[in-house]
Amino acid sequence: MPTNIATSYNVTSAKGALENLEGYLKSVEPTETPLYSTLSQSAAPKATLNEWLVDSLADPEIGGVIDGNDLDLSTAQNLIDTRARLHNRVQTFRDYFAVSRQAEMIDVAPNGQGGLFAASKAKSLIQLKRSIETAIGSGNDQSAGSGSAASTLCGLGIWSDPSATGNTYDTSAKQAFRAVSGSRVSLGSLTESALRGLLQAVYTASGAKGSYKLYAGPAVMAAITDYTRAAVTNNPVYSFTQDVSGKTLVGSVLHYVSDWGSIDIIPDLFLGRVNGSASGTDTVEGTVNTDRAYLIPDDDTVSLKFLEGISVVDLPDNGGGKRAFSECMATLRVGNPRALGSII
């Protein structure tokens, strides 16, 4: 290469060449939080332990009554004795950030964010919502806080478990109101018949026949979509029937109608995780669990309760720079665990 000519190779930044850094920033992590965004909200709790009552009904009596018999108090029923008191704990979520005074003064791409502190605040709120979503869909059991451990809420993984005990179902009275046998199915056996069986089990136990939402990981979404396809023997293709007169081939199932109700299927990447180490079918909190799904009635059976809504608290600048944290204090109320289903 000749040295007596300026080229793009020898005119470096030391010679005045400018860099071309676009004013563009794109987050590459998932940010959608469907449980947080779509679950109903009920009244704010007045304590850090939120409690509610559940009750069951006696079996129907169709044997009739003998005419003329006097009533004896010994045959009366205590209809209040069947009640149980469920609870869940308020958990604090927090995301702490800081920017030095000097860093706040310099120009940093992208433009239009109002400085690094404003950009950090916006990012912190997204991260906080991801944490809340993960806790709602988690396999964490609730735990009381102490001077050395934080209080945690019970996630849907425990609420929808027909065999759960622990801190949430710690008495036989509470265990009588757990999700029912047949309402939890493994992904490996998720045939269409198995899904119908799950829905039938939920309907038989709760009488809830209506609209549901199925918050589902990618592998569950794919398994349900495969219901529309029939594999041709010894041929790596699928055969299915569909009206394509509009020249659009639909390869996804987002709504499923069964004998026991209709289901809107919603993808969610924050389900089935636990704090600490992976356990059973739950993944560690930073790892996507593709194989998890929760079936929830489309009403107020499951609701979020906020002791403190999402907020940003500015802290004093002690000389190092601006500091703040985003925070939320919330819990989950499951009014009727028998109305839940799950895929693991």
Side-chain angles (χ1 to χ4, degrees):
M1 181 180 68
T3 59
N4 59 345
I5 183 174
T7 69
S8 59
Y9 306 114
N10 57 32
V11 181
T12 63
S13 58
K15 306 299 183 183
L18 297 177
E19 296 178 347
N20 181 42
L21 176 61
E22 292 190 60
Y24 178 82
L25 175 65
K26 179 67 175 178
S27 174
V28 298
E29 298 289 341
T31 59
E32 292 186 358
T33 52
L35 281 167
Y36 173 84
S37 301
T38 61
L39 287 179
S40 63
Q41 295 185 22
S42 50
K46 301 299 183 182
T48 56
L49 180 65
N50 186 62
E51 300 179 280
W52 61 95
L53 293 172
V54 289
D55 198 2
S56 60
L57 299 175
D59 293 334
E61 290 279 354
I62 58 175
V65 176
I66 300 174
D67 184 38
N69 276 8
D70 286 335
L71 293 176
D72 187 337
L73 183 59
S74 65
T75 63
Q77 304 175 67
N78 179 357
L79 298 182
I80 307 303
D81 194 48
T82 53
R83 293 180 180 179
R85 191 165 170 165
L86 301 181
H87 66 271
N88 206 355
R89 296 190 178 274
V90 171
Q91 179 171 338
T92 299
F93 302 88
R94 182 178 294 165
D95 195 79
Y96 179 40
F97 58 96
V99 175
S100 76
R101 296 177 66 249
Q102 191 173 76
E104 183 69 0
M105 296 175 186
I106 61 178
D107 286 337
V108 179
N111 297 322
Q113 287 194 307
L116 291 180
F117 187 76
S120 297
K121 181 184 294 186
K123 181 176 179 178
S124 177
L125 290 170
I126 295 172
Q127 293 183 163
L128 190 74
K129 287 202 299 181
R130 281 164 46 105
S131 296
I132 297 170
E133 180 82 3
T134 303
I136 296 169
S138 75
N140 281 356
D141 197 0
Q142 60 185 285
S143 60
S146 67
S148 58
S151 172
T152 58
L153 63 80
C154 178
L156 289 170
I158 298 294
W159 285 113
S160 63
D161 185 352
S163 60
T165 52
N167 297 328
T168 297
Y169 294 110
D170 55 356
T171 67
S172 58
K174 295 176 184 178
Q175 291 166 14
F177 293 92
R178 290 180 298 196
V180 297
S181 176
S183 66
R184 171 161 284 193
V185 177
S186 69
L187 176 61
S189 59
L190 189 63
T191 61
E192 187 172 5
S193 176
L195 180 60
R196 290 200 308 268
L198 184 158
L199 291 166
Q200 182 176 341
V202 170
Y203 171 73
T204 302
S206 66
K209 181 181 184 298
S211 298
Y212 292 87
K213 286 185 170 67
L214 183 72
Y215 299 89
V220 178
M221 296 280 295
I224 294 175
T225 294
D226 281 347
Y227 295 164
T228 64
R229 306 171 184 181
V232 179
T233 304
N234 299 322
N235 197 333
V237 298
Y238 287 101
S239 174
F240 57 97
T241 302
Q242 187 177 134
D243 180 5
V244 291
S245 58
K247 298 183 180 179
T248 299
L249 181 65
V250 178
S252 175
V253 174
L254 299 177
H255 188 73
Y256 180 88
V257 179
S258 76
D259 296 329
W260 319 112
S262 60
I263 307 172
D264 289 322
I265 304 170
I266 303 170
D268 196 326
L269 292 171
F270 298 99
L271 308 176
R273 309 188 192 188
V274 287
N275 182 43
S277 302
S279 175
T281 59
D282 293 319
T283 61
V284 69
E285 58 191 339
T287 302
V288 174
N289 189 338
T290 63
D291 301 353
R292 183 61 55 90
Y294 299 120
L295 181 76
I296 300 175
D298 195 9
D299 54 22
D300 64 351
T301 295
V302 178
S303 64
L304 291 172
K305 302 177 77 70
F306 292 94
L307 183 63
E308 176 194 37
I310 290 181
S311 58
V312 177
V313 178
D314 291 321
L315 299 173
D317 180 353
N318 294 325
K322 292 183 178 181
R323 299 181 300 146
F325 61 84
S326 60
E327 185 178 74
C328 174
M329 302 179 191
T331 189
L332 187 68
R333 185 186 71 189
V334 180
N336 182 10
R338 293 180 181 178
L340 303 184
S342 57
I343 299 165
I344 62 173

